Amino acid sequence: MKRFFSQIGPGTLVAAAFIGPGTVTVCTLAGVEFGFTMLWAMVLSVIATIVLQEMAARLGLVTGKGLAQVLRDEINSPAFKFIALALVVSAILVGNAAYEAGNISGGALGLQTLIPNSQVDIGSIRLNTLSITIGLLAFVFLFVGRYKLIERSLVVLVIFMSLSFLLAAFLTEPAWIEVLKGLFVPSVPKEGLLTVIALVGTTVVPYNLFLHASLVKEKWRDERDLKAARRDTYVSITLGGLVSLAIIICGAGIQQSGISSAAGLAAGLKPLYGELAKWVVSLGLFAAGITSAITAPLAAAYVAKGCFGWQGGLKSNTFRLIWMLVLLMGVIFSSIGWSPIEIIRFAQVANGLLLPIIAIFLLWAVNQRKILDSYVNKPVVNLLGVLIILATLILSIRSLERVFELNLLG
């Protein structure tokens, strides 16, 4: 087991991060509401994730810098630098606060089935004590700085959850012809656009682009390890994508609607575990939630550190201030009584809206020959990057049209 963990690369941690409570919830609801018709969106999301995360890993490994630090060091125009860094900081802080609320709500959603009476009233405000408890646990691990051991332990639970869904996908005996059609024939059902954006947002997580560029510096030495970093990225994210597809297939096999709790999500595992599914889903959601609740604030803090050139590590006051802010906002939004499912869905949609901003900056950075030399993007990778940005921009605009009842694209 020790050898297994020593071989885990940043790609595996990135995959474990996006297979969080948001993925479990959004993919399950996509299957419940739209059957197999959304599988193609997940396939494209996985391809986009591989392309963008490879860029981030290459940037971090060759330059020895995170994406935020590259933007700060390499943009020459003071005005453009200020605009770029302001956009990055605001996007990551807002996006991670929403994502953190989804993480904490997902963890609480898992425990809610096991501990149903978790609400307390303070005046006119009803608080979810499970959300506060998960927030306090994340705070302790982050503040002490000994989070790695618990994170690795929780990854085991997330892997257990993932294997359960992969097996359950086969045991639900889906119509494989319909599955293949859903994989390769794009279709956006009525009222399904926000679900497409949510699937993109739950897979191509903007903060993972910053996190990956920083993690590769810790795992490997320099560009000589680029082959290993790429292999780690391709394999890990592909496996994560297979898990997400399996969850959608499980959701399509759930013969009920109005899912709003872990008990409903557990129906996807009943063919495998029966009544034990409640415990499997509960522990899996809790594990995914607490792991991501630790990772998201850390990523935001690393972004702020790179943007502002702060010195010091995990225990510095400025570093702690950022992750505390993100964690606090996540706890507040998660604990004031809003529907956990709706918070999680909002977080994924928010990530989908923020993705084009971050992807544009990443694509610019990996085309700077003065910092990457011969490791700049090849033309085909640039083409894929531009197509991904255009696709996410169109999805984002369509989402804004739906929300504000506009007609921006005609």
Side-chain angles (χ1 to χ4, degrees):
M1 186 62 70
K2 183 177 180 180
R3 177 178 173 80
F4 169 77
F5 280 124
S6 69
Q7 298 300 315
I8 288 180
T12 306
L13 297 179
V14 167
F18 77 70
I19 308 174
T23 297
V24 176
T25 300
V26 170
C27 290
T28 300
L29 294 178
V32 170
E33 296 173 6
F34 303 106
F36 305 123
T37 59
M38 290 294 187
L39 291 175
W40 66 271
M42 180 53 64
V43 172
L44 292 184
S45 297
V46 171
I47 294 173
T49 302
I50 290 174
V51 172
L52 294 177
Q53 294 294 163
E54 187 279 332
M55 291 185 198
R58 175 161 34 96
L59 180 70
L61 203 56
V62 175
T63 66
K65 302 176 182 179
L67 176 56
Q69 187 178 351
V70 168
L71 295 178
R72 180 174 60 86
D73 292 345
E74 301 302 328
I75 297 178
N76 296 321
S77 168
F80 184 65
K81 179 184 295 188
F82 174 81
I83 294 172
L85 295 182
L87 279 173
V88 168
V89 171
S90 59
I92 291 298
L93 288 181
V94 172
N96 276 29
Y99 204 76
E100 183 70 352
N103 294 331
I104 295 173
S105 294
L109 189 66
L111 294 180
Q112 186 175 307
T113 304
L114 307 179
I115 309 173
N117 299 319
S118 59
Q119 306 286 337
V120 296
D121 294 323
I122 301 179
S124 61
I125 300 176
R126 174 165 291 186
L127 299 179
N128 188 331
T129 57
L130 294 178
S131 295
I132 297 173
T133 300
I134 291 174
L136 288 173
L137 285 173
F139 177 88
V140 170
F141 293 127
L142 286 167
F143 192 84
V144 172
R146 299 289 299 275
Y147 67 92
K148 286 188 178 180
L149 180 61
I150 187 66
E151 184 179 53
R152 288 176 176 177
S153 299
L154 291 171
V155 164
V156 173
L157 290 176
V158 175
I159 292 173
F160 169 70
M161 174 74 169
S162 303
L163 291 174
S164 297
F165 271 115
L166 285 169
L167 291 172
F170 285 93
L171 293 176
T172 54
E173 299 182 351
W176 291 108
I177 298 298
E178 293 299 316
V179 170
L180 291 175
K181 182 180 177 181
L183 286 171
F184 299 109
V185 180
S187 172
V188 181
K190 185 179 180 181
E191 306 300 325
L193 181 61
L194 290 182
T195 299
V196 173
I197 298 172
L199 289 172
V200 173
T202 197
T203 309
V204 195
V205 182
Y207 83 73
N208 271 344
L209 299 175
F210 292 90
L211 199 60
H212 204 172
S214 299
L215 288 174
V216 291
K217 299 180 296 180
E218 305 295 333
K219 180 69 177 180
W220 293 292
R221 293 170 298 178
D222 51 37
E223 60 271 15
R224 289 174 294 181
D225 297 309
L226 190 55
K227 183 177 179 180
R230 282 172 169 159
R231 181 172 61 247
D232 173 59
T233 300
Y234 300 155
V235 173
S236 299
I237 294 174
T238 299
L239 290 176
L242 289 175
V243 172
S244 298
L245 291 170
I247 295 172
I248 295 176
I249 292 172
C250 287
I254 297 177
Q255 302 299 315
Q256 66 183 81
S257 60
I259 292 175
S260 60
S261 68
L265 299 181
L269 284 180
K270 276 192 175 181
L272 181 59
Y273 288 108
E275 292 303 317
L276 187 61
K278 178 179 72 174
W279 289 87
V280 174
V281 173
S282 296
L283 293 176
L285 279 173
F286 170 72
I290 188 65
T291 303
S292 300
I294 292 171
T295 307
L298 272 182
Y302 279 123
V303 168
K305 179 183 176 182
C307 285
F308 299 114
W310 293 337
Q311 301 300 314
L314 184 63
K315 295 184 179 182
S316 68
N317 291 333
T318 50
F319 194 91
R320 281 175 168 170
L321 179 63
I322 297 300
W323 66 250
M324 284 181 185
L325 177 62
V326 172
L327 180 59
L328 178 62
M329 293 175 68
V331 170
I332 291 174
F333 290 133
S334 176
S335 62
I336 59 177
W338 291 353
S339 167
I341 293 289
E342 292 306 316
I343 292 176
I344 291 170
R345 297 184 86 173
F346 170 76
Q348 309 313 316
V349 172
N351 271 280
L353 295 175
L354 293 170
L355 177 61
I357 300 172
I358 307 304
I360 288 171
F361 287 128
L362 175 63
L363 189 62
W364 174 83
V366 291
N367 277 283
Q368 300 305 301
R369 189 167 292 276
K370 62 180 179 179
I371 60 173
L372 286 177
D373 196 23
S374 60
Y375 294 99
V376 294
N377 271 5
K378 304 298 183 188
V380 65
V381 179
N382 275 331
L383 176 61
L384 289 174
V386 170
L387 290 176
I388 291 169
I389 291 171
L390 289 175
T392 54
L393 277 172
I394 292 172
L395 287 173
S396 298
I397 293 172
R398 288 300 188 191
S399 177
L400 291 174
E401 288 179 344
R402 292 290 304 279
V403 172
F404 296 105
E405 297 182 357
L406 302 174
N407 188 20
L408 301 175
L409 296 182

